[in-house]
PDB file of all heavy atoms in Angstrom:
ATOM      1  N   ALA A1183     -11.683 -17.638  16.181  1.00  0.00           N
ATOM      2  CA  ALA A1183     -12.125 -17.077  14.817  1.00  0.00           C
ATOM      3  C   ALA A1183     -12.569 -15.622  14.889  1.00  0.00           C
ATOM      4  O   ALA A1183     -12.192 -14.820  14.195  1.00  0.00           O
ATOM      5  CB  ALA A1183     -13.333 -17.941  14.366  1.00  0.00           C
ATOM      6  N   ALA A1186      -9.442 -13.604  15.445  1.00  0.00           N
ATOM      7  CA  ALA A1186      -8.652 -13.430  14.171  1.00  0.00           C
ATOM      8  C   ALA A1186      -9.218 -12.365  13.328  1.00  0.00           C
ATOM      9  O   ALA A1186      -8.525 -11.495  12.777  1.00  0.00           O
ATOM     10  CB  ALA A1186      -8.638 -14.842  13.470  1.00  0.00           C
ATOM     11  N   ALA A1187     -10.556 -12.368  13.083  1.00  0.00           N
ATOM     12  CA  ALA A1187     -11.250 -11.374  12.322  1.00  0.00           C
ATOM     13  C   ALA A1187     -11.054  -9.930  12.894  1.00  0.00           C
ATOM     14  O   ALA A1187     -10.774  -9.027  12.171  1.00  0.00           O
ATOM     15  CB  ALA A1187     -12.671 -11.735  12.155  1.00  0.00           C
ATOM     16  N   GLY A1190      -7.645  -8.533  12.454  1.00  0.00           N
ATOM     17  CA  GLY A1190      -7.560  -7.914  11.143  1.00  0.00           C
ATOM     18  C   GLY A1190      -8.158  -6.625  10.966  1.00  0.00           C
ATOM     19  O   GLY A1190      -7.471  -5.753  10.344  1.00  0.00           O
ATOM     20  N   PHE A1213      -2.996 -11.806  16.650  1.00  0.00           N
ATOM     21  CA  PHE A1213      -2.921 -12.881  15.622  1.00  0.00           C
ATOM     22  C   PHE A1213      -1.904 -13.948  15.981  1.00  0.00           C
ATOM     23  O   PHE A1213      -2.199 -15.204  15.743  1.00  0.00           O
ATOM     24  CB  PHE A1213      -2.483 -12.191  14.336  1.00  0.00           C
ATOM     25  CG  PHE A1213      -2.596 -13.003  13.048  1.00  0.00           C
ATOM     26  CD1 PHE A1213      -3.692 -13.733  12.934  1.00  0.00           C
ATOM     27  CD2 PHE A1213      -1.573 -13.018  12.076  1.00  0.00           C
ATOM     28  CE1 PHE A1213      -3.772 -14.589  11.658  1.00  0.00           C
ATOM     29  CE2 PHE A1213      -1.647 -13.775  10.955  1.00  0.00           C
ATOM     30  CZ  PHE A1213      -2.844 -14.518  10.778  1.00  0.00           C
ATOM     31  N   LEU A1217      -2.852 -18.110  16.624  1.00  0.00           N
ATOM     32  CA  LEU A1217      -2.260 -19.109  15.771  1.00  0.00           C
ATOM     33  C   LEU A1217      -1.251 -20.099  16.467  1.00  0.00           C
ATOM     34  O   LEU A1217      -1.031 -21.222  16.170  1.00  0.00           O
ATOM     35  CB  LEU A1217      -1.449 -18.505  14.605  1.00  0.00           C
ATOM     36  CG  LEU A1217      -2.268 -17.770  13.626  1.00  0.00           C
ATOM     37  CD1 LEU A1217      -1.379 -17.043  12.575  1.00  0.00           C
ATOM     38  CD2 LEU A1217      -3.289 -18.644  12.872  1.00  0.00           C
ATOM     39  N   TRP A1222      -1.795 -26.695  10.947  1.00  0.00           N
ATOM     40  CA  TRP A1222      -1.786 -25.856   9.770  1.00  0.00           C
ATOM     41  C   TRP A1222      -3.193 -25.549   9.245  1.00  0.00           C
ATOM     42  O   TRP A1222      -3.488 -24.578   8.586  1.00  0.00           O
ATOM     43  CB  TRP A1222      -0.848 -26.461   8.781  1.00  0.00           C
ATOM     44  CG  TRP A1222      -1.409 -27.682   7.981  1.00  0.00           C
ATOM     45  CD1 TRP A1222      -1.142 -28.930   8.428  1.00  0.00           C
ATOM     46  CD2 TRP A1222      -2.239 -27.765   6.917  1.00  0.00           C
ATOM     47  NE1 TRP A1222      -1.766 -29.837   7.555  1.00  0.00           N
ATOM     48  CE2 TRP A1222      -2.451 -29.043   6.634  1.00  0.00           C
ATOM     49  CE3 TRP A1222      -2.745 -26.833   6.080  1.00  0.00           C
ATOM     50  CZ2 TRP A1222      -3.267 -29.526   5.561  1.00  0.00           C
ATOM     51  CZ3 TRP A1222      -3.622 -27.183   4.971  1.00  0.00           C
ATOM     52  CH2 TRP A1222      -3.752 -28.545   4.753  1.00  0.00           C
ATOM     53  N   LYS A1223      -4.049 -26.579   9.318  1.00  0.00           N
ATOM     54  CA  LYS A1223      -5.455 -26.373   8.831  1.00  0.00           C
ATOM     55  C   LYS A1223      -6.180 -25.256   9.614  1.00  0.00           C
ATOM     56  O   LYS A1223      -6.919 -24.520   9.010  1.00  0.00           O
ATOM     57  CB  LYS A1223      -6.202 -27.784   8.987  1.00  0.00           C
ATOM     58  CG  LYS A1223      -5.696 -28.798   7.982  1.00  0.00           C
ATOM     59  CD  LYS A1223      -6.535 -30.042   8.183  1.00  0.00           C
ATOM     60  CE  LYS A1223      -5.983 -31.208   7.309  1.00  0.00           C
ATOM     61  NZ  LYS A1223      -6.748 -32.418   7.359  1.00  0.00           N
ATOM     62  N   ALA A1224      -5.995 -25.370  10.886  1.00  0.00           N
ATOM     63  CA  ALA A1224      -6.734 -24.208  11.644  1.00  0.00           C
ATOM     64  C   ALA A1224      -6.034 -22.889  11.380  1.00  0.00           C
ATOM     65  O   ALA A1224      -6.808 -21.865  11.217  1.00  0.00           O
ATOM     66  CB  ALA A1224      -6.484 -24.522  13.190  1.00  0.00           C
ATOM     67  N   GLY A1225      -4.670 -22.838  11.191  1.00  0.00           N
ATOM     68  CA  GLY A1225      -3.984 -21.732  10.827  1.00  0.00           C
ATOM     69  C   GLY A1225      -4.522 -21.178   9.479  1.00  0.00           C
ATOM     70  O   GLY A1225      -4.554 -19.958   9.289  1.00  0.00           O
ATOM     71  N   LEU A1226      -4.819 -21.950   8.522  1.00  0.00           N
ATOM     72  CA  LEU A1226      -5.358 -21.626   7.264  1.00  0.00           C
ATOM     73  C   LEU A1226      -6.613 -20.960   7.389  1.00  0.00           C
ATOM     74  O   LEU A1226      -6.745 -19.785   6.792  1.00  0.00           O
ATOM     75  CB  LEU A1226      -5.577 -22.820   6.348  1.00  0.00           C
ATOM     76  CG  LEU A1226      -5.745 -22.682   4.880  1.00  0.00           C
ATOM     77  CD1 LEU A1226      -4.547 -22.076   4.130  1.00  0.00           C
ATOM     78  CD2 LEU A1226      -6.286 -23.943   4.199  1.00  0.00           C
ATOM     79  N   GLY A1227      -7.619 -21.414   8.188  1.00  0.00           N
ATOM     80  CA  GLY A1227      -8.859 -20.803   8.262  1.00  0.00           C
ATOM     81  C   GLY A1227      -8.820 -19.563   9.129  1.00  0.00           C
ATOM     82  O   GLY A1227      -9.391 -18.560   8.739  1.00  0.00           O
ATOM     83  N   LEU A1228      -8.022 -19.453  10.181  1.00  0.00           N
ATOM     84  CA  LEU A1228      -7.848 -18.301  10.939  1.00  0.00           C
ATOM     85  C   LEU A1228      -7.126 -17.242  10.209  1.00  0.00           C
ATOM     86  O   LEU A1228      -7.417 -16.065  10.329  1.00  0.00           O
ATOM     87  CB  LEU A1228      -7.042 -18.580  12.265  1.00  0.00           C
ATOM     88  CG  LEU A1228      -7.945 -19.579  13.173  1.00  0.00           C
ATOM     89  CD1 LEU A1228      -6.999 -20.074  14.336  1.00  0.00           C
ATOM     90  CD2 LEU A1228      -9.149 -18.853  13.840  1.00  0.00           C
ATOM     91  N   GLY A1229      -6.207 -17.662   9.462  1.00  0.00           N
ATOM     92  CA  GLY A1229      -5.417 -16.621   8.597  1.00  0.00           C
ATOM     93  C   GLY A1229      -6.388 -15.981   7.591  1.00  0.00           C
ATOM     94  O   GLY A1229      -6.270 -14.793   7.326  1.00  0.00           O
ATOM     95  N   TYR A1230      -7.327 -16.785   7.033  1.00  0.00           N
ATOM     96  CA  TYR A1230      -8.229 -16.311   6.077  1.00  0.00           C
ATOM     97  C   TYR A1230      -9.185 -15.312   6.721  1.00  0.00           C
ATOM     98  O   TYR A1230      -9.416 -14.156   6.206  1.00  0.00           O
ATOM     99  CB  TYR A1230      -9.059 -17.377   5.358  1.00  0.00           C
ATOM    100  CG  TYR A1230      -9.716 -16.943   4.198  1.00  0.00           C
ATOM    101  CD1 TYR A1230      -8.936 -16.840   3.014  1.00  0.00           C
ATOM    102  CD2 TYR A1230     -11.099 -16.686   4.045  1.00  0.00           C
ATOM    103  CE1 TYR A1230      -9.620 -16.374   1.792  1.00  0.00           C
ATOM    104  CE2 TYR A1230     -11.733 -16.198   2.926  1.00  0.00           C
ATOM    105  CZ  TYR A1230     -11.011 -16.174   1.779  1.00  0.00           C
ATOM    106  OH  TYR A1230     -11.598 -15.771   0.676  1.00  0.00           O
ATOM    107  N   LEU A1231      -9.606 -15.462   7.908  1.00  0.00           N
ATOM    108  CA  LEU A1231     -10.512 -14.601   8.643  1.00  0.00           C
ATOM    109  C   LEU A1231      -9.696 -13.318   8.914  1.00  0.00           C
ATOM    110  O   LEU A1231     -10.302 -12.238   8.921  1.00  0.00           O
ATOM    111  CB  LEU A1231     -10.959 -15.272   9.937  1.00  0.00           C
ATOM    112  CG  LEU A1231     -12.018 -16.320   9.756  1.00  0.00           C
ATOM    113  CD1 LEU A1231     -12.228 -17.015  11.102  1.00  0.00           C
ATOM    114  CD2 LEU A1231     -13.248 -15.831   9.121  1.00  0.00           C
ATOM    115  N   PHE A1232      -8.407 -13.478   9.498  1.00  0.00           N
ATOM    116  CA  PHE A1232      -7.634 -12.242   9.586  1.00  0.00           C
ATOM    117  C   PHE A1232      -7.524 -11.416   8.337  1.00  0.00           C
ATOM    118  O   PHE A1232      -7.619 -10.163   8.316  1.00  0.00           O
ATOM    119  CB  PHE A1232      -6.268 -12.685  10.084  1.00  0.00           C
ATOM    120  CG  PHE A1232      -5.188 -11.560  10.377  1.00  0.00           C
ATOM    121  CD1 PHE A1232      -5.396 -10.915  11.600  1.00  0.00           C
ATOM    122  CD2 PHE A1232      -4.404 -11.152   9.397  1.00  0.00           C
ATOM    123  CE1 PHE A1232      -4.439  -9.949  11.928  1.00  0.00           C
ATOM    124  CE2 PHE A1232      -3.462 -10.132   9.796  1.00  0.00           C
ATOM    125  CZ  PHE A1232      -3.497  -9.448  10.944  1.00  0.00           C
ATOM    126  N   GLY A1233      -7.284 -12.086   7.140  1.00  0.00           N
ATOM    127  CA  GLY A1233      -7.232 -11.403   5.865  1.00  0.00           C
ATOM    128  C   GLY A1233      -8.448 -10.693   5.547  1.00  0.00           C
ATOM    129  O   GLY A1233      -8.485  -9.524   5.071  1.00  0.00           O
ATOM    130  N   LEU A1234      -9.587 -11.370   5.742  1.00  0.00           N
ATOM    131  CA  LEU A1234     -10.845 -10.668   5.465  1.00  0.00           C
ATOM    132  C   LEU A1234     -11.055  -9.541   6.308  1.00  0.00           C
ATOM    133  O   LEU A1234     -11.530  -8.397   5.918  1.00  0.00           O
ATOM    134  CB  LEU A1234     -11.983 -11.711   5.666  1.00  0.00           C
ATOM    135  CG  LEU A1234     -12.107 -12.839   4.575  1.00  0.00           C
ATOM    136  CD1 LEU A1234     -13.198 -13.744   5.003  1.00  0.00           C
ATOM    137  CD2 LEU A1234     -12.242 -12.356   3.161  1.00  0.00           C
ATOM    138  N   GLY A1235     -10.776  -9.612   7.632  1.00  0.00           N
ATOM    139  CA  GLY A1235     -11.013  -8.494   8.510  1.00  0.00           C
ATOM    140  C   GLY A1235     -10.112  -7.330   8.136  1.00  0.00           C
ATOM    141  O   GLY A1235     -10.508  -6.152   8.282  1.00  0.00           O
ATOM    142  N   PHE A1236      -9.042  -7.516   7.599  1.00  0.00           N
ATOM    143  CA  PHE A1236      -8.035  -6.484   7.191  1.00  0.00           C
ATOM    144  C   PHE A1236      -8.397  -5.864   5.861  1.00  0.00           C
ATOM    145  O   PHE A1236      -8.566  -4.781   5.640  1.00  0.00           O
ATOM    146  CB  PHE A1236      -6.610  -7.017   7.279  1.00  0.00           C
ATOM    147  CG  PHE A1236      -5.522  -6.128   6.632  1.00  0.00           C
ATOM    148  CD1 PHE A1236      -5.534  -4.893   7.009  1.00  0.00           C
ATOM    149  CD2 PHE A1236      -4.555  -6.651   5.821  1.00  0.00           C
ATOM    150  CE1 PHE A1236      -4.420  -3.938   6.515  1.00  0.00           C
ATOM    151  CE2 PHE A1236      -3.628  -5.859   5.288  1.00  0.00           C
ATOM    152  CZ  PHE A1236      -3.557  -4.552   5.618  1.00  0.00           C
ATOM    153  N   LEU A1237      -8.580  -6.775   4.834  1.00  0.00           N
ATOM    154  CA  LEU A1237      -8.629  -6.307   3.526  1.00  0.00           C
ATOM    155  C   LEU A1237     -10.055  -5.857   3.058  1.00  0.00           C
ATOM    156  O   LEU A1237     -10.143  -4.867   2.295  1.00  0.00           O
ATOM    157  CB  LEU A1237      -8.172  -7.488   2.630  1.00  0.00           C
ATOM    158  CG  LEU A1237      -6.734  -7.832   2.749  1.00  0.00           C
ATOM    159  CD1 LEU A1237      -6.417  -9.005   1.854  1.00  0.00           C
ATOM    160  CD2 LEU A1237      -5.791  -6.700   2.247  1.00  0.00           C
ATOM    161  N   LEU A1238     -11.159  -6.380   3.681  1.00  0.00           N
ATOM    162  CA  LEU A1238     -12.427  -5.941   3.356  1.00  0.00           C
ATOM    163  C   LEU A1238     -12.659  -4.427   3.460  1.00  0.00           C
ATOM    164  O   LEU A1238     -13.113  -3.718   2.555  1.00  0.00           O
ATOM    165  CB  LEU A1238     -13.562  -6.714   4.113  1.00  0.00           C
ATOM    166  CG  LEU A1238     -14.012  -8.057   3.442  1.00  0.00           C
ATOM    167  CD1 LEU A1238     -14.905  -8.820   4.518  1.00  0.00           C
ATOM    168  CD2 LEU A1238     -14.820  -7.762   2.189  1.00  0.00           C
ATOM    169  N   LEU A1254     -15.327  -7.349  -3.746  1.00  0.00           N
ATOM    170  CA  LEU A1254     -15.415  -8.657  -2.963  1.00  0.00           C
ATOM    171  C   LEU A1254     -14.586  -9.749  -3.588  1.00  0.00           C
ATOM    172  O   LEU A1254     -13.835 -10.539  -2.975  1.00  0.00           O
ATOM    173  CB  LEU A1254     -16.897  -9.143  -2.862  1.00  0.00           C
ATOM    174  CG  LEU A1254     -17.850  -8.232  -2.006  1.00  0.00           C
ATOM    175  CD1 LEU A1254     -19.260  -8.661  -2.135  1.00  0.00           C
ATOM    176  CD2 LEU A1254     -17.308  -8.177  -0.603  1.00  0.00           C
ATOM    177  N   ALA A1255     -14.515  -9.906  -4.959  1.00  0.00           N
ATOM    178  CA  ALA A1255     -13.752 -10.795  -5.693  1.00  0.00           C
ATOM    179  C   ALA A1255     -12.307 -10.573  -5.289  1.00  0.00           C
ATOM    180  O   ALA A1255     -11.528 -11.458  -5.159  1.00  0.00           O
ATOM    181  CB  ALA A1255     -13.992 -10.659  -7.214  1.00  0.00           C
ATOM    182  N   LEU A1256     -11.838  -9.320  -5.363  1.00  0.00           N
ATOM    183  CA  LEU A1256     -10.433  -8.888  -5.089  1.00  0.00           C
ATOM    184  C   LEU A1256     -10.042  -9.319  -3.670  1.00  0.00           C
ATOM    185  O   LEU A1256      -9.040  -9.997  -3.451  1.00  0.00           O
ATOM    186  CB  LEU A1256     -10.181  -7.462  -5.281  1.00  0.00           C
ATOM    187  CG  LEU A1256      -8.745  -6.928  -4.933  1.00  0.00           C
ATOM    188  CD1 LEU A1256      -7.784  -7.553  -5.713  1.00  0.00           C
ATOM    189  CD2 LEU A1256      -8.805  -5.428  -4.982  1.00  0.00           C
ATOM    190  N   VAL A1257     -10.852  -9.066  -2.683  1.00  0.00           N
ATOM    191  CA  VAL A1257     -10.563  -9.412  -1.352  1.00  0.00           C
ATOM    192  C   VAL A1257     -10.549 -10.906  -1.114  1.00  0.00           C
ATOM    193  O   VAL A1257      -9.639 -11.459  -0.423  1.00  0.00           O
ATOM    194  CB  VAL A1257     -11.594  -8.726  -0.366  1.00  0.00           C
ATOM    195  CG1 VAL A1257     -11.443  -9.195   1.030  1.00  0.00           C
ATOM    196  CG2 VAL A1257     -11.560  -7.154  -0.413  1.00  0.00           C
ATOM    197  N   VAL A1258     -11.473 -11.675  -1.756  1.00  0.00           N
ATOM    198  CA  VAL A1258     -11.491 -13.096  -1.571  1.00  0.00           C
ATOM    199  C   VAL A1258     -10.263 -13.716  -2.091  1.00  0.00           C
ATOM    200  O   VAL A1258      -9.756 -14.696  -1.430  1.00  0.00           O
ATOM    201  CB  VAL A1258     -12.773 -13.652  -2.326  1.00  0.00           C
ATOM    202  CG1 VAL A1258     -12.681 -15.172  -2.500  1.00  0.00           C
ATOM    203  CG2 VAL A1258     -14.086 -13.319  -1.594  1.00  0.00           C
ATOM    204  N   ILE A1259      -9.785 -13.194  -3.187  1.00  0.00           N
ATOM    205  CA  ILE A1259      -8.500 -13.675  -3.712  1.00  0.00           C
ATOM    206  C   ILE A1259      -7.261 -13.317  -2.893  1.00  0.00           C
ATOM    207  O   ILE A1259      -6.413 -14.156  -2.545  1.00  0.00           O
ATOM    208  CB  ILE A1259      -8.276 -13.238  -5.190  1.00  0.00           C
ATOM    209  CG1 ILE A1259      -9.430 -13.902  -6.113  1.00  0.00           C
ATOM    210  CG2 ILE A1259      -6.848 -13.631  -5.593  1.00  0.00           C
ATOM    211  CD1 ILE A1259      -9.482 -13.241  -7.408  1.00  0.00           C
ATOM    212  N   GLU A1260      -7.256 -12.052  -2.511  1.00  0.00           N
ATOM    213  CA  GLU A1260      -6.025 -11.620  -1.804  1.00  0.00           C
ATOM    214  C   GLU A1260      -5.929 -12.235  -0.338  1.00  0.00           C
ATOM    215  O   GLU A1260      -4.881 -12.477   0.163  1.00  0.00           O
ATOM    216  CB  GLU A1260      -6.092 -10.056  -1.743  1.00  0.00           C
ATOM    217  CG  GLU A1260      -5.773  -9.293  -2.951  1.00  0.00           C
ATOM    218  CD  GLU A1260      -4.564  -9.565  -3.636  1.00  0.00           C
ATOM    219  OE1 GLU A1260      -3.522  -9.486  -2.917  1.00  0.00           O
ATOM    220  OE2 GLU A1260      -4.560  -9.940  -4.799  1.00  0.00           O
ATOM    221  N   ALA A1261      -7.122 -12.515   0.186  1.00  0.00           N
ATOM    222  CA  ALA A1261      -7.119 -13.110   1.547  1.00  0.00           C
ATOM    223  C   ALA A1261      -6.540 -14.525   1.554  1.00  0.00           C
ATOM    224  O   ALA A1261      -6.108 -15.019   2.499  1.00  0.00           O
ATOM    225  CB  ALA A1261      -8.557 -13.084   2.152  1.00  0.00           C
ATOM    226  N   VAL A1262      -6.535 -15.182   0.344  1.00  0.00           N
ATOM    227  CA  VAL A1262      -5.943 -16.494   0.292  1.00  0.00           C
ATOM    228  C   VAL A1262      -4.333 -16.494   0.617  1.00  0.00           C
ATOM    229  O   VAL A1262      -3.884 -17.272   1.199  1.00  0.00           O
ATOM    230  CB  VAL A1262      -6.185 -17.053  -1.156  1.00  0.00           C
ATOM    231  CG1 VAL A1262      -5.268 -18.344  -1.316  1.00  0.00           C
ATOM    232  CG2 VAL A1262      -7.588 -17.348  -1.420  1.00  0.00           C
ATOM    233  N   PHE A1263      -3.770 -15.399   0.247  1.00  0.00           N
ATOM    234  CA  PHE A1263      -2.332 -15.226   0.507  1.00  0.00           C
ATOM    235  C   PHE A1263      -2.197 -15.130   2.061  1.00  0.00           C
ATOM    236  O   PHE A1263      -1.136 -15.724   2.676  1.00  0.00           O
ATOM    237  CB  PHE A1263      -1.698 -14.040  -0.151  1.00  0.00           C
ATOM    238  CG  PHE A1263      -1.612 -14.124  -1.605  1.00  0.00           C
ATOM    239  CD1 PHE A1263      -2.622 -13.806  -2.455  1.00  0.00           C
ATOM    240  CD2 PHE A1263      -0.508 -14.739  -2.198  1.00  0.00           C
ATOM    241  CE1 PHE A1263      -2.583 -13.868  -3.801  1.00  0.00           C
ATOM    242  CE2 PHE A1263      -0.399 -14.915  -3.639  1.00  0.00           C
ATOM    243  CZ  PHE A1263      -1.431 -14.424  -4.410  1.00  0.00           C
ATOM    244  N   VAL A1264      -3.028 -14.416   2.697  1.00  0.00           N
ATOM    245  CA  VAL A1264      -2.954 -14.212   4.210  1.00  0.00           C
ATOM    246  C   VAL A1264      -3.202 -15.575   4.827  1.00  0.00           C
ATOM    247  O   VAL A1264      -2.644 -15.897   5.894  1.00  0.00           O
ATOM    248  CB  VAL A1264      -3.863 -13.164   4.682  1.00  0.00           C
ATOM    249  CG1 VAL A1264      -3.736 -12.910   6.162  1.00  0.00           C
ATOM    250  CG2 VAL A1264      -3.655 -11.848   3.989  1.00  0.00           C
ATOM    251  N   ALA A1265      -4.156 -16.371   4.235  1.00  0.00           N
ATOM    252  CA  ALA A1265      -4.587 -17.633   4.863  1.00  0.00           C
ATOM    253  C   ALA A1265      -3.333 -18.592   4.756  1.00  0.00           C
ATOM    254  O   ALA A1265      -2.999 -19.275   5.716  1.00  0.00           O
ATOM    255  CB  ALA A1265      -5.756 -18.287   3.964  1.00  0.00           C
ATOM    256  N   LEU A1266      -2.552 -18.565   3.703  1.00  0.00           N
ATOM    257  CA  LEU A1266      -1.379 -19.444   3.562  1.00  0.00           C
ATOM    258  C   LEU A1266      -0.335 -18.970   4.529  1.00  0.00           C
ATOM    259  O   LEU A1266       0.403 -19.920   5.136  1.00  0.00           O
ATOM    260  CB  LEU A1266      -0.760 -19.304   2.093  1.00  0.00           C
ATOM    261  CG  LEU A1266      -1.745 -19.944   0.994  1.00  0.00           C
ATOM    262  CD1 LEU A1266      -1.225 -19.614  -0.331  1.00  0.00           C
ATOM    263  CD2 LEU A1266      -1.909 -21.427   1.212  1.00  0.00           C
ATOM    264  N   VAL A1267      -0.227 -17.641   4.774  1.00  0.00           N
ATOM    265  CA  VAL A1267       0.746 -17.219   5.782  1.00  0.00           C
ATOM    266  C   VAL A1267       0.279 -17.785   7.250  1.00  0.00           C
ATOM    267  O   VAL A1267       1.092 -18.120   7.983  1.00  0.00           O
ATOM    268  CB  VAL A1267       0.867 -15.637   5.807  1.00  0.00           C
ATOM    269  CG1 VAL A1267       1.595 -15.215   6.973  1.00  0.00           C
ATOM    270  CG2 VAL A1267       1.485 -15.220   4.577  1.00  0.00           C
ATOM    271  N   GLY A1268      -1.041 -17.635   7.480  1.00  0.00           N
ATOM    272  CA  GLY A1268      -1.573 -18.154   8.684  1.00  0.00           C
ATOM    273  C   GLY A1268      -1.221 -19.619   8.965  1.00  0.00           C
ATOM    274  O   GLY A1268      -0.768 -19.994  10.000  1.00  0.00           O
ATOM    275  N   ALA A1269      -1.324 -20.471   7.863  1.00  0.00           N
ATOM    276  CA  ALA A1269      -0.995 -21.805   7.997  1.00  0.00           C
ATOM    277  C   ALA A1269       0.470 -22.051   8.444  1.00  0.00           C
ATOM    278  O   ALA A1269       0.854 -22.747   9.130  1.00  0.00           O
ATOM    279  CB  ALA A1269      -1.381 -22.543   6.656  1.00  0.00           C
ATOM    280  N   TRP A1288       5.364 -13.706   6.949  1.00  0.00           N
ATOM    281  CA  TRP A1288       4.376 -12.603   6.546  1.00  0.00           C
ATOM    282  C   TRP A1288       5.035 -11.837   5.391  1.00  0.00           C
ATOM    283  O   TRP A1288       4.286 -11.488   4.380  1.00  0.00           O
ATOM    284  CB  TRP A1288       4.143 -11.616   7.712  1.00  0.00           C
ATOM    285  CG  TRP A1288       3.255 -10.526   7.346  1.00  0.00           C
ATOM    286  CD1 TRP A1288       3.384  -9.355   6.744  1.00  0.00           C
ATOM    287  CD2 TRP A1288       1.775 -10.637   7.296  1.00  0.00           C
ATOM    288  NE1 TRP A1288       2.350  -8.728   6.372  1.00  0.00           N
ATOM    289  CE2 TRP A1288       1.228  -9.484   6.791  1.00  0.00           C
ATOM    290  CE3 TRP A1288       0.828 -11.527   7.870  1.00  0.00           C
ATOM    291  CZ2 TRP A1288      -0.146  -9.182   6.744  1.00  0.00           C
ATOM    292  CZ3 TRP A1288      -0.504 -11.319   7.730  1.00  0.00           C
ATOM    293  CH2 TRP A1288      -0.968 -10.102   7.206  1.00  0.00           C
TER     294      TRP A1288
END
Side-chain angles (χ1 to χ4, degrees):
F1213 193 40
L1217 294 176
W1222 71 266
K1223 291 181 181 179
L1226 190 72
L1228 293 169
Y1230 197 77
L1231 290 173
F1232 181 83
L1234 291 178
F1236 173 44
L1237 295 171
L1238 270 171
L1254 294 174
L1256 175 64
V1257 170
V1258 165
I1259 293 170
E1260 293 298 312
V1262 170
F1263 291 91
V1264 185
L1266 293 172
V1267 170
W1288 182 272

